[in-house]
């Protein structure tokens, strides 16, 4: 009986001792984590200004500074472009940490460590082609995080960015997060906000891209992602993942675009990716940043499908813009003429191409006019010359069919063509935005708070065309005037380059009409 009691006491003592040592080992692990947490605070978007330093690097097209606290790009501006919101010579895509990229690690004790407050020590290397910035954050003897930035010289907008850890193999998961405030860059914020969208690609092999439709979904969940882009009207910030993300559970990628706050229409994008560490491996990720203008030829060189970010329209309209109007514009651009003159030349060339169809359209109108006139007033000689053959009918139908895609193609082209951004012509200061000859102190619904001369000229030319076409019929002229005023109300805020084209096009149509009437 005593021996059994002794064995029982020994067993109890063993359990107490093993529990004590286990608790002690847990406390040791926790104390290590507490030491690490001295370097990492769990407060996002705040910086330790006393310790913060900046590494400044530039090439021919961009200049950036990288903060030693958090290892983020603190400021980045494009050298060849201007901010038309505040007339700043420097166009910042990132300013004062408006874009933050960070990692949040979670261990088996559910302790969360994030990189936003980590202090990095930078080392810079330079060779003939690039700058390499090695950022090292030592959190403990065997715990480190490495960020490596590679900025290429000359005219490169892309930045290689890789992340590597040491001593993080025991962490169960990593949350990758990228937040960016889309800074105001253009003349009119409401128009600019219409182009602020998130685009993404999920397949490396296909160039097909998707976008977050905020009318249908406030946020998007995805199973995989290749690259994601915060697109603005003329510029874009892209994060591309060179190495596939090891996401074992479905729908662990979430991103959204929202207003900064209730009282603001400034947009903020957010990307969250949860990566599960199943094999107890170190975190290793290779990325690319692109901070660049939405220049079609520039984006196409990257071969990632970035050129599809430019909203040239859908269906046949997209292809007309890419392979007809953009090609024609590129040829005319080589003349080094003023961009307003280039638009006028482009209008003349397009009208000359479709001139035979336009001429036959007027021919058909004349035949219809004769048939509508009373039989006694018919000029028999004219009637003989104006035979209603198949060619005239087919050409008139073609004229109507061609006009529609041309109209919608140009409607999408001019507001997104970065070549026209900030380019002036006569009284117009920016061909991608509306012209204003007088600013009102109040806002008129639909019309706006300014008076655009170009849209007035377009409306007058359209009115003249309609009066010419309706002069031979008994129509109510009042309806023509009313329609012209209604059109003027709706088009006052559109691109001046677009309505310069339409105005010149109407003038050419009027000239063709009177030439035809004279030689009839």
């Amino acid at each position: 009986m005593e021996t059994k009691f002794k064995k029982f006491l020994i067993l109890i003592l063993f359990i107490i001792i093993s529990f004590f040592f286990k608790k002690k080992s847990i406390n040791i692990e926790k104390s290590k984590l507490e030491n690490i947490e001295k370097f990492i605070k769990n407060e996002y978007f705040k910086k330790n200004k006393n310790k913060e330093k900046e590494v400044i690097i530039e090439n021919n097209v961009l200049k950036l500074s990288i903060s030693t606290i958090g290892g983020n790009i603190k400021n980045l501006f494009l050298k060849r472009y201007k901010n038309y919101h505040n007339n700043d010579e420097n166009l910042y895509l990132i300013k004062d940490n408006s874009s933050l990229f960070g990692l949040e690690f979670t261990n088996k004790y559910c302790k969360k460590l994030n990189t936003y407050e980590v202090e990095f020590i930078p080392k810079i290397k330079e060779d003939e082609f690039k700058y390499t910035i090695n950022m090292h954050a030592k959190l403990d003897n065997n715990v480190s995080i490495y960020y490596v930035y590679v900025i290429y010289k000359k005219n490169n907008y892309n930045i290689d960015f890789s992340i590597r850890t040491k001593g993080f193999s025991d962490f169960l998961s990593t949350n990758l997060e990228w937040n960016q405030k889309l800074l105001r860059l253009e003349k009119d914020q409401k128009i600019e906000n219409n182009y602020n969208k998130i685009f993404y690609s999920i397949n490396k092999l296909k160039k097909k891209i998707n976008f977050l439709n905020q009318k249908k979904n406030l946020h998007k969940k995805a199973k995989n992602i290749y690259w994601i882009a915060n697109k603005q009207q003329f510029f874009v910030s892209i994060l591309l993942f060179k190495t596939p993300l090891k996401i074992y559970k479905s729908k662990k990628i979430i991103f959204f675009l929202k207003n900064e706050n209730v009282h603001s229409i400034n947009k903020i994008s957010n990307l969250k990716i949860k990566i599960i560490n199943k094999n107890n491996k170190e975190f290793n990720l290779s990325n690319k940043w692109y901070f660049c203008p939405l220049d079609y030829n520039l984006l196409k060189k990257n071969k990632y499908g970035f050129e599809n970010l430019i909203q040239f329209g859908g269906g046949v309209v997209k292809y007309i813009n890419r392979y007809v109007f953009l090609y024609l514009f590129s040829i005319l651009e080589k003349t080094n003429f003023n961009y307003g003159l280039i638009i006028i030349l482009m209008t003349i060339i397009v009208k000359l191409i479709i001139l035979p169809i336009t001429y036959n359209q007027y021919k058909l109108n004349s035949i219809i006019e004769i048939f509508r006139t009373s039989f006694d007033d018919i000029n028999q000689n004219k009637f003989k010359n104006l035979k209603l053959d198949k060619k005239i009918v087919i050409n008139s139908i073609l004229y109507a069919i061609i006009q529609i895609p041309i109209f919608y193609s140009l409607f999408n082209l001019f507001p997104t063509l970065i070549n026209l951004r900030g380019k002036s012509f006569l009284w117009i200061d920016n061909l991608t935005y509306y012209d204003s000859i007088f600013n009102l102190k109040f806002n008129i619904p639909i019309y706006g708070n300014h008076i655009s001369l170009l849209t007035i000229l377009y409306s007058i030319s359209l009115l003249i065309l309609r009066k010419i076409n309706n002069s031979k019929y008994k129509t109510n002229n009042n309806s023509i005037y009313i329609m012209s005023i209604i059109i003027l109300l709706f088009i006052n805020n559109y691109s001046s380059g677009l309505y310069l084209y339409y105005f010149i096009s109407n003038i050419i149509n009027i000239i063709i009409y009177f030439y035809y009437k004279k030689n009839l």
Side-chain angles (χ1 to χ4, degrees), residues 191-208:
I191 295 172
E192 185 181 9
N193 272 352
N194 291 333
Y195 294 91
N196 289 348
K197 291 180 182 178
I198 293 179
F199 285 81
Y200 62 99
S201 174
I202 59 173
N203 196 317
K204 186 175 181 179
L205 301 175
K206 294 181 181 179
K207 289 189 176 182
K208 184 182 177 182

Side-chain angles (χ1 to χ4, degrees), residues 101 178 226-228 237-241 271 287-289:
F101 178 92
W178 176 34
Y226 178 40
W227 57 258
I228 187 165
S237 305
I238 305 170
L239 175 59
L240 181 141
F241 299 98
L271 167 69
N287 312 322
K288 265 185 181 289
W289 291 108

